[in-house]
């Protein structure tokens, strides 16, 4: 019965308690009982539980009886961090309604606003919920004013709730049934199902999660994927609860999974449409916007023989995280690897951690950078990696990506945050004093400046009370130079950086000092140099290990000692010509943490 189905997602800023509230919904509907119950039950990745954040969106079906009728509620819990906003866009595309959760102690924050706009763009019905109402620091009246300003709803429509105590959960469930519309679509039309996620299972192949917009899918039917044109048999279909529950057929409006023995990751594209082979639909469902990576970094296997394993690990990871992009590249210092695109620094850290935990891949990640547009006399080149820069003499100008940054914070930290943004070449657009003692600051900033440590610094100077959100703005011309790091005259391309003229010399000096501490001593002197073009701007020397060759020479003429020292000097020189400088992994990572 389509009129008894409700598909909804939960959207909120990071840490506003959506996973805890999802737990209460699952408990109240008896979807989880007894030993299955644990904190944040939908966050099933170790990483999510350790960090207390949601990284993946998770789908689960609940059954709830209301006014003597049984309703099927399909819930999709989404991440709140700006780096995972692509996950949110996919969940929103599969739903008719959204629960907008706002923390009563924090108020409306930047990600609340951007996720809400995404939901409104997709014509979703929004139910506002004030969470953590039981906390002593809650400000219910102030925060309700903010929600009314933001949504234009009535005050009495805002549901007061607490994920911890379970207060207000029944009101939320009845609002889901009364406010969110049932799915539209026809069960008799040709099949149209949108793939919104997929996972890799080493025994069953690739499992795709879908939402049916039109038609019916039955077990054993021949289906095809609209955009990749691949044909399969639906070996197993079913619904998602805490595990997989097989069904014989699923009709329009439902959310479920399909297993069809797909082995190759490239064949499943999130956002693709599943349809019947015999009676296909005429057009695919408009999926989500294409993902735009913001930060690029090289990922290389520590052992060169693991290159193919790294490729298949990245492909499997991409199934589960469609916002990861990668292309092969090679580096003189690190051999063969991949240039990966990430949505932000947290995303990059999570991918690196997942490669290690889920696929046992040890990787070196190079300094992250952004993509630049380099204008030469003949053409415009997109450069993702400083090593791929054309020669300086051919370059007419370089453009770098700018973002519009929105920071909401307490007025106490206003001055320190302004100073930080201006240090990072930010240009103030506007400042608005919000209700109470909160202020919203808008800046134009180069993306390259926030890639390194901007977020960490912002959190520490505001004692964690600043929320940061950014939107891609445009490309602007900048005075950038390529800074090279040389070890004994050999360029280490993995440490090259494109950097603003004003910061280049200082940055070069700090890298040289850091590398001097991190690279172990060798049997020969190592010269560490930072160069801009042909000009050396900084140098440090790591002294060689010395063996006392004159120890056995006692008494006699000084020329005997000198002869032995000259012999040693020649040996060191020869060693320097053939010796390789070993650069440890932590030297590459240290560049990220330069302070």
């Amino acid at each position: 019965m389509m009129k008894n189905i409700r598909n909804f997602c939960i959207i909120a800023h990071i840490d506003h308690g959506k996973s805890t509230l999802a737990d209460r919904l699952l408990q109240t509907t008896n979807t989880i009982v007894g030993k299955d119950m644990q904190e944040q039950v939908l966050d099933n990745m170790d990483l999510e539980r350790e960090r207390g954040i949601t990284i993946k969106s998770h789908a689960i079906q609940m059954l709830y009886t209301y006014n003597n009728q049984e309703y099927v509620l399909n819930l999709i819990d989404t991440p709140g961090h700006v780096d995972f906003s692509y996950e949110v866009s996919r969940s929103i595309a599969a739903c008719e309604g959204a629960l907008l959760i706002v923390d009563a102690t924090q108020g409306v924050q930047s990600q609340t606003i951007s996720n809400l706009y995404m939901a409104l763009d997709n014509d979703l019905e929004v139910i506002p919920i004030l969470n953590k109402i039981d906390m002593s620091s809650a400000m219910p009246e102030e925060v309700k004013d903010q929600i009314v300003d933001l949504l234009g709803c009535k005050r009495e429509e805002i549901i007061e709730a607490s994920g911890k105590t379970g207060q207000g959960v029944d009101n939320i469930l009845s609002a889901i049934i009364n406010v969110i519309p049932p799915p539209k679509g026809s069960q008799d039309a040709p099949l149209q199902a949108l793939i919104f996620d997929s996972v890799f299972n080493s025994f069953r192949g690739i499992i795709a999660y879908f939402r049916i917009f039109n038609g019916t899918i039955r077990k054993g039917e021949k289906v095809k994927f609209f955009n990749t044109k691949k044909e399969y048999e639906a070996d197993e279909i079913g619904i998602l609860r805490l595990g997989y529950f097989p069904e014989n057929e699923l009709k329009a409006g439902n959310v479920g999974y399909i297993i069809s023995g797909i082995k190759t990751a490239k064949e499943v594209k999130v956002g693709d449409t599943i349809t019947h082979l015999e009676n296909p639909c005429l057009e695919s469902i408009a999926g989500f916007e294409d993902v735009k990576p913001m930060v690029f970094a090289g990922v290389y296997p520590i052992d060169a023989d693991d290159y193919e394993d790294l490729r298949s690990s990245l492909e499997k990871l991409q199934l589960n995280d469609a916002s990861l992009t990668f292309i092969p590249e090679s580096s003189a210092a690190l051999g063969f690897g991949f240039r990966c695109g990430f949505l932000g620094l947290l995303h990059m850290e999570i991918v690196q951690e997942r490669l290690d935990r889920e696929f046992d891949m040890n990787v070196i990640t190079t300094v992250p950078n952004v993509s630049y547009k380099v204008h030469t006399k003949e053409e415009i080149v997109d450069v993702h990696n400083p090593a791929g820069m054309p020669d300086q003499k051919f370059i007419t100008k370089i453009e770098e990506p700018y973002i519009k940054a929105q920071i909401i914070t307490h007025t106490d930290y206003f001055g320190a945050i302004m100073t930080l943004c201006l240090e990072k070449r930010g240009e103030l657009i506007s400042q608005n004093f919000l209700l109470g003692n909160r202020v919203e600051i808008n800046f134009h900033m180069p993306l390259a400046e926030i890639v390194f440590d901007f977020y960490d610094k912002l959190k520490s100077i505001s004692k964690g009370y600043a929320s940061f959100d950014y939107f891609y703005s445009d490309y602007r011309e900048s005075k950038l130079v390529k800074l090279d790091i040389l070890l004994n005259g050999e360029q280490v391309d993995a440490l090259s950086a494109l950097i603003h003229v004003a910061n280049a010399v200082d940055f070069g000096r700090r890298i040289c000092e850091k590398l001097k501490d991190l690279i172990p001593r060798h049997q020969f002197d190592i010269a560490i140099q930072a160069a801009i073009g042909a000009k050396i701007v900084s140098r440090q020397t790591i002294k060689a290990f010395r063996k006392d060759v004159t120890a056995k020479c006692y008494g006699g003429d000084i020329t005997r000692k000198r002869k032995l020292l000259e012999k040693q000097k020649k040996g060191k020189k020869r060693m320097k010509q053939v010796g390789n400088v070993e650069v440890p992994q932590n030297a590459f990572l240290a560049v990220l943490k330069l302070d």
Side-chain angles (χ1 to χ4, degrees):
M1 292 284 286
M2 269 179 75
K3 70 177 191 343
N4 285 8
I5 296 176
R6 300 288 183 273
N7 297 318
F8 66 98
C9 59
I10 301 186
I11 54 177
H13 188 83
I14 188 167
D15 260 355
H16 280 208
K18 56 197 163 315
S19 298
T20 312
L21 204 59
D23 289 352
R24 297 294 87 76
L25 292 173
L26 294 173
Q27 257 182 323
T28 309
T29 56
N30 292 325
T31 309
I32 355 173
V33 284
K35 68 179 191 318
D36 291 333
M37 190 59 221
Q38 52 177 351
E39 296 282 313
Q40 280 98 25
V41 71
L42 290 180
D43 293 346
N44 50 14
M45 231 188 280
D46 291 347
L47 259 176
E48 293 180 310
R49 308 189 70 78
E50 280 168 27
R51 291 175 179 238
I53 56 175
T54 305
I55 294 168
K56 285 289 304 158
S57 48
H58 300 277
I60 192 162
Q61 189 179 90
M62 307 179 279
L63 300 174
Y64 184 61
T65 307
Y66 179 75
N67 289 350
N68 298 326
Q69 285 206 20
E70 189 168 63
Y71 287 86
V72 174
L73 310 179
N74 290 311
L75 152 71
I76 304 180
D77 178 25
T78 65
H81 195 281
V82 60
D83 277 12
F84 305 110
S85 54
Y86 186 65
E87 292 281 329
V88 182
S89 81
R90 290 155 41 181
S91 310
I92 284 175
C95 295
E96 278 83 31
L99 306 183
L100 177 75
I101 294 180
V102 181
D103 184 335
T105 64
Q106 300 267 353
V108 169
Q109 288 186 282
S110 53
Q111 206 51 34
T112 316
I113 300 168
S114 51
N115 285 345
L116 171 69
Y117 287 158
M118 217 187 286
L120 294 175
D121 285 346
N122 282 283
D123 298 329
L124 264 60
E125 280 292 336
V126 177
I127 300 173
I129 296 167
L130 193 59
N131 195 20
K132 305 193 187 179
I133 199 75
D134 58 315
M135 289 184 70
S136 55
S137 56
M139 315 173 285
E141 297 313 312
E142 283 179 39
V143 179
K144 276 186 183 175
D145 289 339
Q146 293 177 14
I147 297 174
V148 171
D149 280 352
L150 183 67
L151 258 181
C153 61
K154 298 190 179 81
R155 279 181 87 88
E156 55 274 15
E157 287 174 12
I158 301 169
I159 301 172
E160 295 190 358
S162 161
K164 202 170 182 183
T165 62
Q167 175 189 341
V169 171
D170 289 327
N171 298 345
I172 294 173
L173 286 165
S174 58
I176 289 168
I177 290 164
N178 295 323
V179 177
I180 296 175
K184 299 181 182 70
S186 155
Q187 297 182 352
D188 307 318
L191 176 68
Q192 262 188 323
L194 175 75
I195 301 178
F196 65 86
D197 203 357
S198 52
V199 291
F200 181 81
N201 181 309
S202 41
F203 303 107
R204 316 280 317 255
I206 289 156
I207 305 173
Y209 300 164
F210 59 79
R211 148 78 204 270
I212 307 176
F213 282 87
N214 284 307
T216 305
I217 184 169
R218 294 177 184 82
K219 185 181 172 178
E221 282 184 329
K222 293 263 191 293
V223 294
K224 76 167 183 178
F225 289 9
F226 201 91
N227 294 331
T228 55
K229 306 278 188 287
K230 299 278 185 186
E231 298 169 7
Y232 305 102
E233 191 171 303
D235 296 338
E236 181 180 312
I237 57 167
I239 54 172
L240 297 153
R241 293 223 176 105
L242 265 187
Y244 297 114
F245 287 79
E247 297 276 335
N248 285 326
E249 71 169 20
L250 289 174
K251 295 187 170 169
N254 248 312
V255 174
Y257 69 91
I258 177 170
I259 300 176
S260 44
I262 308 169
K263 297 285 185 288
T264 334
K266 287 195 184 87
E267 293 178 20
V268 178
K269 285 266 185 291
V270 167
D272 203 348
T273 303
I274 305 176
T275 187
H276 280 135
L277 192 60
E278 305 290 318
N279 178 19
C281 58
L282 300 175
E283 56 178 10
S284 63
I285 302 162
F288 347 98
E289 75 278 3
D290 259 349
V291 55
K292 294 195 258 328
M294 286 290 189
V295 173
F296 294 88
V299 173
Y300 293 85
I302 285 181
D303 183 352
D305 298 344
D306 293 341
Y307 176 72
E308 282 305 322
D309 292 347
L310 178 60
R311 181 198 295 276
S312 70
S313 303
L314 282 168
E315 280 176 359
K316 287 172 189 168
L317 197 55
Q318 199 178 31
L319 269 180
N320 199 238
D321 180 356
S323 49
L324 170 69
T325 59
F326 62 92
I327 52 167
E329 74 163 4
S330 65
S331 145
L334 300 170
F336 290 101
F338 296 92
R339 170 122 305 242
C340 298
F342 307 97
L343 293 184
L345 274 191
L346 177 68
H347 185 209
M348 173 176 142
E349 204 180 311
I350 295 293
V351 166
Q352 208 175 335
E353 190 78 18
R354 285 184 71 185
L355 280 172
D356 181 29
R357 291 185 184 205
E358 294 172 30
F359 303 101
D360 210 15
M361 289 300 309
N362 266 335
V363 294
I364 291 177
T365 311
T366 64
V367 182
N369 49 43
V370 297
S371 77
Y372 299 90
K373 286 193 188 306
V374 178
H375 294 250
T376 62
K377 287 163 187 168
E378 284 89 34
E379 56 179 349
I380 300 173
V381 191
D382 277 335
V383 174
H384 300 311
N385 185 351
M389 280 280 285
D391 206 329
Q392 193 70 40
K393 60 180 182 244
F394 300 123
I395 297 174
T396 52
K397 64 174 182 177
I398 302 176
E399 292 182 329
E400 65 174 331
Y402 265 68
I403 55 155
K404 185 181 173 194
Q406 180 195 47
I407 298 167
I408 299 178
T409 184
H410 197 284
T411 44
D412 293 358
Y413 311 113
F414 179 67
I417 289 174
M418 288 286 277
T419 311
L420 174 70
C421 294
L422 293 169
E423 273 174 10
K424 298 282 186 186
R425 297 194 281 138
E427 297 162 16
L428 182 66
I429 308 169
S430 65
Q431 55 195 46
N432 308 314
F433 287 87
L434 306 172
L435 291 166
N437 43 14
R438 295 152 65 75
V439 59
E440 176 195 319
I441 318 168
N442 290 302
F443 269 95
H444 268 135
M445 293 176 79
L447 180 61
E449 292 287 345
I450 66 159
V451 156
F452 282 105
D453 52 358
F454 177 78
Y455 194 59
D456 295 343
K457 282 187 176 169
L458 180 71
K459 282 290 183 203
S460 56
I461 60 179
S462 66
K463 301 191 171 58
Y465 281 111
S467 70
F468 173 68
D469 195 9
Y470 59 86
F471 307 96
Y472 174 72
S473 166
D474 54 0
Y475 275 83
R476 298 187 187 182
E477 187 178 344
S478 288
K479 283 190 170 176
L480 300 170
V481 289
K482 183 182 171 199
L483 182 78
D484 290 318
I485 300 297
L486 312 173
L487 295 179
N488 283 346
E490 292 284 323
Q491 190 180 324
V492 184
D493 54 357
L495 292 174
S496 298
L498 262 179
I499 195 156
H500 195 265
V501 167
N503 307 335
V505 176
D506 181 49
F507 187 71
R509 195 185 70 247
R510 279 162 38 207
I511 285 192
C512 290
E513 285 167 3
K514 194 85 174 176
L515 289 178
K516 185 184 178 186
D517 297 338
L518 290 168
I519 294 176
R521 288 171 73 184
H522 287 52
Q523 292 288 352
F524 49 89
D525 283 1
I526 300 170
I528 305 169
Q529 294 166 310
I532 298 172
K535 182 183 173 192
I536 304 292
V537 292
S538 174
R539 170 180 170 131
Q540 295 283 335
T541 307
I542 299 174
K543 285 294 183 195
F545 284 123
R546 297 300 301 247
K547 180 183 175 190
D548 190 358
V549 286
T550 57
K552 62 177 182 283
C553 188
Y554 43 90
D557 192 357
I558 185 71
T559 50
R560 293 177 61 197
K561 284 188 177 174
R562 196 163 291 144
K563 187 174 159 192
L564 288 169
L565 289 168
E566 287 297 326
K567 192 174 170 189
Q568 182 187 32
K569 199 166 157 189
K570 277 185 192 155
K572 294 275 182 201
K573 192 174 174 187
R574 199 163 54 244
M575 207 184 270
K576 188 171 182 173
Q577 285 165 354
V578 295
N580 278 334
V581 182
E582 293 289 320
V583 184
Q585 155 77 349
N586 59 353
F588 291 107
L589 298 179
V591 180
L592 310 185
K593 298 192 171 66
L594 274 183
D595 202 20

